[in-house]
């Protein structure tokens, strides 16, 4: 987008459910890449779930340590950390329990609405 932020979505939903949801919410064009559960190499908490997304970012010169991943569950944070990404936890989902994590998330927010403004304030190198 204009702020230089590339947004992607990786989900455990199937493709038809994902596309329908994004169309209904009118945010399909907000993402430069989406992947459903059958389109990823692995599944969370496996870091390989991000292989497709990191490959899409490579031509832009963006490495895993410069990617912020937002998740609402323990498996989200574990997968992002395992892939070398910046793990951001939000406490809004039904699985927002983060007990038992080996490492704390990079940041933690009460809602997804807090994440975007924080990301946009970060200097490019600060995300690494």
């Amino acid at each position: 987008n204009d702020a230089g932020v590339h947004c992607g979505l990786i989900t455990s939903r199937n493709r038809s459910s994902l596309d329908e949801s994004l169309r209904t919410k009118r945010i399909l064009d907000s993402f430069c890449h989406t992947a459903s559960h059958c389109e990823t190499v692995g599944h969370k908490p496996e870091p390989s779930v991000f292989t497709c997304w990191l490959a899409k970012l490579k031509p832009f010169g963006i490495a895993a340590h410069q990617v912020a991943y937002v998740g609402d569950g323990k498996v989200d944070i574990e997968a992002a950390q395992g892939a070398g990404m910046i793990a951001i936890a939000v406490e809004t989902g039904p699985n927002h329990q983060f007990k038992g994590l080996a490492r704390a998330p990079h940041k933690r927010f009460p809602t997804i609405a807090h994440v975007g403004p924080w990301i946009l304030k970060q200097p490019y190198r600060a995300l690494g």
Side-chain angles (χ1 to χ4, degrees):
N1 69 18
D2 293 339
V5 176
H6 302 272
C7 294
L9 177 69
I10 297 175
T11 182
S12 59
R13 292 179 134 185
N14 66 45
R15 173 51 65 186
S16 61
S17 172
L18 170 60
D19 287 347
E20 179 60 29
S21 178
L22 295 177
R23 269 194 294 275
T24 300
K25 294 176 181 166
R26 297 183 181 165
I27 57 172
L28 184 59
D29 295 335
S30 299
F31 301 100
C32 58
H33 177 68
T34 60
S36 67
H37 76 283
C38 61
E39 299 164 334
T40 58
V41 175
H43 301 285
K44 298 177 229 170
E46 299 168 22
S48 60
V49 71
F50 298 113
T51 301
C52 60
W53 177 232
L54 294 174
K56 292 277 186 183
L57 295 174
K58 194 172 185 173
F60 296 101
I62 300 170
H65 71 278
Q66 298 167 308
V67 177
Y69 181 78
V70 181
D72 65 358
K74 181 181 174 190
V75 296
D76 298 317
I77 302 307
E78 291 173 335
Q81 290 173 332
M85 298 162 65
I86 300 159
I88 300 175
V90 291
E91 301 169 343
T92 54
N95 301 313
H96 71 277
Q97 303 301 312
F98 300 108
K99 293 177 184 171
L101 283 171
R103 290 182 289 152
H106 183 82
K107 290 293 281 181
R108 196 168 176 162
F109 294 102
T111 70
I112 192 74
H114 293 86
V115 178
W118 178 81
I119 287 175
L120 292 175
K121 289 179 187 174
Q122 302 309 302
Y124 183 75
R125 289 182 300 284
L127 291 179

